[in-house]
Amino acid sequence: MRRWTDPPPSRHGRAGNRAPRPAAARGLLLALAAGLLIGPDVRAQQGPTVRTVKGIEAMRLLYQRGEYARAAYFGYAEIWKDICKPDVLLLIGSSLERLGETEDAAVYYTLALRTLEFGKAADVRASARQIQAMLARVDAAHRQAKAQYAKTAAGKRFTSPRQVDDLWMSQVTCDLHCLHGLYAWKLVGGRKDARPDWIHNRQGRMHRSGMKYVDEVDGRKGVLFSVPVKAKTSPDADKWHRAILARLGHPTQITTANPGHCRFLRIGAKGYGFDFILKAYLAGREIFSQRIGTKDWADLKIDLQEAARPAGSPATARSSTQPAAEAEAVTIELVVPKGQRWSEGVWIDYLDFFDD
């Protein structure tokens, strides 16, 4: 039987373990339940009655009062179980921008744009044009990173896992998961029934890719975190997995471009808590599949040109008239193995293209 050194899985297991609400979030909700004063003018209109406000209404009140840190904090509680709330994400971003945390603000503006299609029409006040204008104010660092990546993409050589530049993070997009699923406990003050030095208490902020960013994991610096999901055909997918599959249509996917037309895709990955299966797709066709464990980092090398050859055809040099398969976007899928009862997360140290 597995002996847990970290807290047990929360929403990822079939046995139905439920992690307690984070203490910080409990405090937020208790504060909401106690009621927040709207202001003298509203109280005068309502007589002696004190109205209780919750959710984004409370966030807007705090924002109007200039309490930007608390507004963002309340926002994290709002997206703890459901990240598809564009107005909440937008207000978190605006609060962080007011606090001078422009890079984090850009992350939440980006996520707000991605979730517009999921928000209920009655609840979405923001438009894509409005969010794009707000994002443009704080997006200079990301634009520079993408431009720098484009300059160095062609002819890139691989030396070692620890030498891969984090510019690859400017290219990736991952399916979205809520803060709870991503173990983003640090954002809500930490999980109180876990050790203070637990990695998810010490590190973690949202990344514009949709994953969670941590500074260092097991000797690797600059790592992204997401969660694997059961395959649609898996007979043992529980309620949590089925809900994600209903929303996404597939297990968690990461997409990335190959602007340098490099031949090889290299990936540094490791399971968190439990094994997972990493699959790679090129032009919609599966070209790679490997089970990844939790003990050691897996440093994978995938030959895109070889993978694109039709089965049984000889390995020959590509002519100028053949399509450049290595230029195609690649999709990585994170899958919980069939028959595996529990699952938690996936660490991605790098996901980049090279000529060797």
Side-chain angles (χ1 to χ4, degrees):
M1 179 176 291
R2 176 178 170 83
R3 295 187 61 187
W4 289 96
T5 55
D6 286 341
S10 51
R11 298 179 62 201
H12 305 267
R14 295 191 65 244
N17 278 19
R18 291 181 180 231
R21 188 185 300 278
R26 280 203 305 272
L28 295 179
L29 296 179
L30 287 173
L32 287 171
L36 294 170
L37 300 182
I38 300 299
D41 55 337
V42 177
R43 283 197 301 168
Q45 293 173 4
Q46 296 181 342
T49 303
V50 176
R51 189 162 69 91
T52 300
V53 293
K54 298 180 180 181
I56 193 168
E57 189 177 359
M59 289 181 68
R60 290 186 177 120
L61 172 63
L62 292 168
Y63 186 89
Q64 291 165 4
R65 290 177 173 177
E67 298 182 50
Y68 303 120
R70 290 190 69 202
Y73 206 44
F74 273 56
Y76 301 142
E78 281 298 297
I79 58 174
W80 186 248
K81 293 290 186 73
D82 180 8
I83 200 169
C84 297
K85 297 180 178 181
D87 282 345
V88 172
L89 291 163
L90 179 63
L91 198 47
I92 293 173
S94 186
S95 298
L96 294 173
E97 184 180 359
R98 291 292 185 118
L99 291 168
E101 300 174 19
T102 54
E103 290 192 27
D104 283 334
V107 167
Y108 287 94
Y109 290 151
T110 300
L111 299 179
L113 276 172
R114 291 187 58 191
T115 59
L116 275 179
E117 60 183 292
F118 298 112
K120 297 178 182 178
D123 298 332
V124 178
R125 297 185 181 183
S127 67
R129 183 177 297 179
Q130 174 193 1
I131 301 175
Q132 287 166 348
M134 299 173 77
L135 177 60
R137 296 198 302 258
V138 293
D139 210 30
H142 179 67
R143 291 195 298 269
Q144 291 171 2
K146 287 183 72 71
Q148 188 175 350
Y149 182 92
K151 289 180 181 178
T152 59
K156 195 157 68 259
R157 310 295 292 182
F158 183 84
T159 54
S160 74
R162 289 175 176 79
Q163 296 300 314
V164 178
D165 195 295
D166 281 352
L167 286 174
W168 68 270
M169 293 186 185
S170 68
Q171 303 297 303
V172 298
T173 301
C174 184
D175 288 325
L176 299 179
H177 294 287
C178 65
L179 298 192
H180 188 192
L182 293 175
Y183 283 10
W185 296 96
K186 187 176 186 294
L187 292 178
V188 292
R191 182 169 170 170
K192 303 308 179 184
D193 61 348
R195 300 187 309 269
D197 63 350
W198 183 41
I199 189 167
H200 301 291
N201 276 348
R202 289 186 293 106
Q203 298 188 55
R205 64 182 188 271
M206 286 301 292
H207 188 267
R208 67 190 305 138
S209 64
M211 293 182 270
K212 184 178 75 172
Y213 177 89
V214 297
D215 294 312
E216 187 275 335
V217 179
D218 297 338
R220 301 289 179 92
K221 294 183 178 180
V223 180
L224 296 181
F225 181 83
S226 190
V227 295
V229 176
K230 290 278 188 177
K232 290 184 71 174
T233 56
S234 179
D236 55 354
D238 67 3
K239 181 179 179 180
W240 184 83
H241 292 279
R242 290 196 301 270
I244 293 177
L245 291 169
R247 175 169 60 89
L248 300 178
H250 47 70
T252 302
Q253 291 185 344
I254 305 169
T255 58
T256 186
N258 182 13
H261 298 194
C262 295
R263 176 172 176 172
F264 296 96
L265 170 64
R266 288 183 177 264
I267 307 171
K270 187 177 183 180
Y272 175 76
F274 300 91
D275 293 1
F276 74 100
I277 296 172
L278 186 148
K279 294 178 177 287
Y281 295 85
L282 182 66
R285 181 170 64 88
E286 183 180 318
I287 60 171
F288 181 87
S289 179
Q290 183 168 317
R291 188 175 182 126
I292 308 297
T294 62
K295 184 178 180 181
D296 300 311
W297 286 99
D299 292 298
L300 311 173
K301 179 181 179 180
I302 304 172
D303 188 335
L304 301 177
Q305 183 173 307
E306 181 69 16
R309 284 195 305 112
S313 63
T316 58
R318 177 175 58 85
S319 72
S320 60
T321 59
Q322 291 177 309
E326 61 269 27
E328 296 275 359
V330 175
T331 297
I332 302 301
E333 196 165 72
L334 313 176
V335 186
V336 178
K338 183 179 178 180
Q340 181 173 292
R341 186 180 185 186
W342 296 104
S343 63
E344 285 197 87
V346 173
W347 299 116
I348 303 291
D349 178 38
Y350 58 90
L351 199 167
D352 205 354
F353 301 92
F354 298 86
D355 273 355
D356 63 343

